[in-house]
Amino acid sequence: MPFRKRPTALAAGLLALFLAVFTLQAGSPAIAQGPASLLANPPAGAWPSDGRDYTAQRYSPLTQINAQNVGQLGLAWYADLDTYRGVEGTPIYADGVLYNILAWNITTAYDAKTGKPLWTFDPKVPREYGRYACCEPVSRGLAMWNGKIIIATLDGRMIGLDARTGKQIWSTQTFDHDMPYSITGAPRVFDGKVVVGQSGGDLGVRGFVIALDADTGKKLWKFFLAPGNPADGPDGEASDSIMEMARKTWHGEYWKLGGGANAWDSIAYDPANKLVFVGTGNGSPLSRYHRSQNKGDNLFVCSIVALHADTGTYAWHYQMVPGEDWDYTCTSSIISADLKIGGKMRQVIMQAPKNGFFYVIDRKTGKLISAETHVKVNWAFGIDKKTGRPIENPETRYGVDPVLVYPGPGGAHNWFPMAFSPRTKLAYFPAYQSGMVYALDPNFKPQPFRSNAGWGGYTGEAMQKRMKLMEQANADEKAWLTAYDPVKQKIAWQVPLPRHGNGGVFVTASDLVFEGTTKQTFAAFDAKSGKVLWEYPTQSAPVSGGITYELDGEQYVAINAGWGGGAAQIERGAGIELPRAPARLLVFKLGGTQQLPPLAKAEAIPNPPPLRASEASVARGAELFANTCALCHGANAKGGVKDLRHMTMETHGKFNDIVLKGIYQDKGMSSFADILKPDDVEAIHNYLIARANEDWGGD
């Protein structure tokens, strides 16, 4: 049979050439299957990684949707995601398939034109790991390489899936469970290496970043971001050569809670210089007083650390906040660009972290080019251009006396993705002006697996001063979509938006900026002026980063609308959360006609049971709650993932079994019997009943 004959070498070569050309013309398939260069320079219609390409600019060259017709955008299809948990992942697109990831790392592939689910993979993350996630068991994205979809799970596994079937190809555990590590950030693939950090700095861990072979899951290198116990000697990792230098910036027994500096979100790559850029988080405990005897820079907290991609060894670092003291993480988007500054083209990276400054840094050397504020800032008076160090305001290095500091721990710009347009030369990001009152708890004793801030001033005269200062902070609170000129270091324009939590941004070559807002809308703005051109009610605030892709000649726009995470906890804690629908993946196109179902009515808040406990029991419960429960259930038991002031009588009756036996483990509430005793749980319950009675009917 002729068709079974082996082709000649020439025929085989022509066939391979034809398939390669076809693949490139189709756009997406080459990204899933082909060379690394296509991850660096994807075809116009593709979005193969969370930042779209290695620059992480979240810029699309597509122009079919533009300022003249964006008003015709309608819903093409949507997928109910069956969760009220936060959905923070940026979807990715290749070969006609849209890939998405939810809380607990549940991953689904959809037909990108119709929304038909093609496969779902549930890594079955043990629900007790929800305890270790600062701000819900979220995932901020997934990665793609050589026919694989790669996810990182909350319990520390990196998993390679077959992109066509969703079947597991490999799985690698990236950390032990002797410390409360978790992973909430997106893995990134760079030239065949998948790189990820981890979370847990609020609970007491030692930050690191790890690289695996993206085809096999084999460990390639690991770099610790804080020094370990010097008595243990070298770690035998890529960071060994620099750890002695870092250790000199720490004091006391810092290693007992790990030091922090977790790379819990942004990691970027420069293929020309073969550098991986790692944004690091806060220290652990949060207060330097309790972390490092109130001394030292504490490398590498709140820094960008550049590593040689092949070996993971140190190249350079730039520390934004030496001796970080205010929960200022530097894990926001890191974007590469080539900018003309001072008459010369410069290879730069840009970041707008929590601390209120916008940084432009030479990406080859790590030298500061410029840094200016874009919101109200008082922790520093500016940045010394010669040394790159902040000119600190010593009054904001707080003691037991409460001090108002700007920004607050919510940050001037948090993890919500930033974008940059090479056309307008502007960066776009959700900005937040806020302050918080800080004070030390001199009696604080750090404990692993607990919230370890070290902050105090919550009783007596200190509390009265705190409340008065917070009135001023609340009056200063504002939120915007900000367009920023990184060369001039000036705000180009701003659009006022409601509360903190406005979502990630992307921008197109037709000069459109897309963002989810806390008005529970998804909106398109003019990239040059900020004018609102289109807005769609989403029934839940989209906090994730959106994407755009092209399939069969049509341009689509996709976004996850799933209010949750840290911003939601702040809003719930303020008692201003809006009724919302369960999370959905929304996909739009010009002329789309799908409609969302009506929003269900909110249920009435149940009456609280009467308070019969002693004042001493309630006070003890308040302290236990703050150290054990507030991370998920809100300060002062207000808001959080589940507002415990609003428990039903049935839930009150099960309270001990929920906390000690873990009967709601499938919902993410595992047993706390390892750190709480029955009388502890009774005191916490008494405190919650007291809080329910205090706020019922008013809120």
Side-chain angles (χ1 to χ4, degrees):
M1 299 175 65
F3 60 87
R4 290 182 182 266
K5 286 185 178 179
R6 182 175 303 211
T8 64
L10 177 61
L14 290 173
L15 177 61
L17 178 62
F18 169 78
L19 290 175
V21 172
F22 176 79
T23 296
L24 288 172
Q25 287 177 340
S28 307
I31 299 165
Q33 306 296 333
S37 61
L38 291 177
L39 274 175
N41 300 292
W47 199 293
S49 64
D50 73 314
R52 189 174 179 274
D53 60 14
Y54 285 160
T55 68
Q57 292 178 0
R58 292 180 181 257
Y59 169 82
S60 169
L62 295 180
T63 58
Q64 185 181 99
I65 301 170
N66 54 51
Q68 287 69 45
N69 62 22
V70 68
Q72 300 170 30
L73 270 186
L75 196 61
W77 57 268
Y78 69 90
D80 285 311
L81 303 179
D82 299 323
T83 183
Y84 278 98
R85 293 282 189 180
V87 182
E88 298 184 355
T90 297
I92 56 177
Y93 169 80
D95 196 15
V97 181
L98 189 67
Y99 303 91
N100 198 28
I101 190 165
L102 312 182
W104 308 114
N105 313 111
I106 297 169
T107 304
T108 300
Y110 298 91
D111 182 307
K113 189 168 187 174
T114 66
K116 177 184 176 183
L118 303 177
W119 54 256
T120 294
F121 176 80
D122 183 352
K124 300 191 183 304
V125 173
R127 293 309 190 246
E128 59 262 29
Y129 286 93
R131 284 173 51 183
Y132 307 147
C134 151
C135 311
E136 295 194 62
V138 297
S139 173
R140 296 188 185 90
L142 61 177
M144 178 183 298
W145 172 258
N146 195 22
K148 301 174 191 68
I149 298 299
I150 301 175
I151 66 172
T153 66
L154 195 69
D155 59 339
R157 288 171 287 159
M158 200 95 81
I159 300 175
L161 305 174
D162 187 301
R164 291 185 177 86
T165 66
K167 301 296 183 183
Q168 180 174 301
I169 299 172
W170 57 260
S171 178
T172 302
Q173 184 68 42
T174 63
F175 53 70
D176 296 327
H177 296 303
D178 54 345
M179 300 180 80
Y181 284 114
S182 59
I183 299 179
T184 56
R188 273 81 172 184
V189 174
F190 310 126
D191 290 342
K193 302 174 185 67
V194 56
V195 185
V196 76
Q198 57 343 95
S199 310
D202 297 332
L203 298 177
V205 298
R206 183 188 182 194
F208 68 85
V209 64
I210 190 168
L212 308 180
D213 185 298
D215 284 313
T216 66
K218 179 183 177 182
K219 176 187 168 185
L220 299 176
W221 52 256
K222 183 177 183 179
F223 188 98
F224 280 105
L225 296 162
N229 187 342
D232 294 338
D235 297 298
E237 304 292 357
S239 45
D240 281 355
S241 63
I242 201 67
M243 273 299 109
E244 188 55 38
M245 182 272 285
R247 186 174 286 113
K248 292 176 181 178
T249 69
W250 292 77
H251 299 268
E253 297 179 325
Y254 56 84
W255 61 86
K256 286 191 172 181
L257 277 182
N262 299 83
W264 58 262
D265 194 24
S266 191
I267 299 170
Y269 180 57
D270 177 0
N273 296 304
K274 293 280 188 180
L275 293 176
V276 174
F277 306 116
V278 180
T280 73
N282 53 269
S284 178
L286 295 178
S287 67
R288 188 177 65 166
Y289 178 91
H290 293 293
R291 181 174 72 239
S292 182
Q293 299 179 342
N294 213 30
K295 295 182 290 187
D297 287 353
N298 295 180
L299 292 174
F300 296 100
V301 301
C302 206
S303 305
I304 293 177
V305 181
L307 307 176
H308 294 290
D310 290 338
T311 62
T313 53
Y314 172 89
W316 57 257
H317 78 275
Y318 178 78
Q319 189 173 39
M320 279 82 164
V321 188
E324 190 280 315
D325 215 10
W326 305 276
D327 195 11
Y328 290 163
T329 57
C330 296
T331 55
S332 305
S333 306
I334 299 172
I335 290 177
S336 296
D338 295 341
L339 301 178
K340 192 172 185 179
I341 301 174
K344 296 191 301 183
M345 292 301 297
R346 301 291 298 271
Q347 294 182 346
V348 309
I349 54 174
M350 298 173 278
Q351 189 187 53
K354 279 189 183 182
N355 72 4
F357 287 84
F358 190 103
Y359 293 86
V360 181
I361 299 167
D362 186 296
R363 69 176 182 259
K364 187 173 183 178
T365 66
K367 300 297 182 183
L368 177 72
I369 296 173
S370 62
E372 298 294 341
T373 60
H374 61 92
V375 295
K376 185 174 183 176
V377 170
N378 76 344
W379 74 272
F381 300 116
I383 307 295
D384 186 314
K385 300 301 189 294
K386 291 183 179 180
T387 65
R389 294 180 66 89
I391 305 167
E392 280 195 22
N393 176 0
E395 294 180 3
T396 61
R397 287 284 185 184
Y398 51 90
V400 295
D401 190 37
V403 176
L404 177 57
V405 182
Y406 295 88
H413 171 230
N414 208 301
W415 68 270
F416 311 101
M418 178 167 75
F420 176 79
S421 170
R423 283 176 48 82
T424 65
K425 303 296 192 294
L426 299 177
Y428 305 91
F429 57 92
Y432 179 47
Q433 178 169 285
S434 69
M436 193 184 102
V437 180
Y438 294 81
L440 276 178
D441 176 2
N443 301 315
F444 168 74
K445 294 181 180 179
Q447 300 178 68
F449 293 84
R450 303 260 189 163
S451 179
N452 284 285
W455 296 337
Y458 294 106
T459 58
E461 292 183 8
M463 182 62 174
Q464 294 178 11
K465 184 173 183 179
R466 172 186 291 278
M467 292 175 67
K468 188 171 182 179
L469 289 171
M470 278 308 300
E471 289 179 7
Q472 179 182 338
N474 293 338
D476 287 333
E477 188 170 340
K478 295 180 176 67
W480 304 273
L481 169 61
T482 293
Y484 197 84
D485 188 323
V487 175
K488 296 178 180 178
Q489 278 284 1
K490 289 184 178 180
I491 294 170
W493 53 257
Q494 288 183 309
V495 177
L497 291 170
R499 305 164 294 274
H500 180 45
N502 297 290
V505 177
F506 74 90
V507 61
T508 71
S510 53
D511 294 334
L512 296 178
V513 176
F514 287 88
E515 182 191 29
T517 81
T518 47
K519 291 188 285 183
Q520 294 192 334
T521 65
F522 185 45
F525 305 81
D526 186 298
K528 295 180 179 178
S529 68
K531 180 181 178 181
V532 180
L533 301 175
W534 171 81
E535 199 160 17
Y536 187 92
T538 52
Q539 301 182 357
S540 183
V543 294
S544 67
I547 70 168
T548 186
Y549 61 92
E550 187 175 60
L551 177 58
D552 294 339
E554 286 189 296
Q555 183 180 351
Y556 294 80
V557 174
I559 186 77
N560 281 308
W563 180 233
Q569 289 179 335
I570 292 171
E571 183 166 295
R572 292 166 191 163
I576 54 175
E577 186 185 33
L578 299 174
R580 71 192 195 282
R584 295 188 179 103
L585 171 62
L586 307 175
V587 180
F588 302 88
K589 68 174 184 177
L590 296 174
T593 58
Q594 283 287 327
Q595 298 291 324
L596 295 177
L599 187 63
K601 291 184 179 180
E603 295 182 4
I605 296 172
N607 293 354
L611 176 63
R612 296 190 172 93
S614 68
E615 187 174 336
S617 178
V618 171
R620 181 166 173 266
E623 182 179 353
L624 287 164
F625 182 92
N627 292 332
T628 312
C629 316
L631 191 66
C632 291
H633 293 288
N636 298 318
K638 191 173 185 179
V641 174
K642 181 72 174 178
D643 194 315
L644 298 182
R645 298 169 303 156
H646 302 161
M647 288 186 286
T648 64
M649 293 304 293
E650 180 185 7
T651 303
H652 279 288
K654 297 177 180 177
F655 191 82
N656 281 20
D657 287 345
I658 293 170
V659 179
L660 293 175
K661 294 183 179 180
I663 62 172
Y664 284 175
Q665 182 168 305
D666 62 328
K667 299 179 181 179
M669 177 63 197
S670 60
S671 169
F672 278 71
D674 56 332
I675 59 175
L676 293 175
K677 298 177 182 178
D679 59 335
D680 296 331
V681 177
E682 183 180 1
I684 292 171
H685 194 189
N686 289 336
Y687 166 68
L688 293 172
I689 292 172
R691 290 292 296 116
N693 279 276
E694 287 171 2
D695 291 353
W696 185 77
D699 213 18

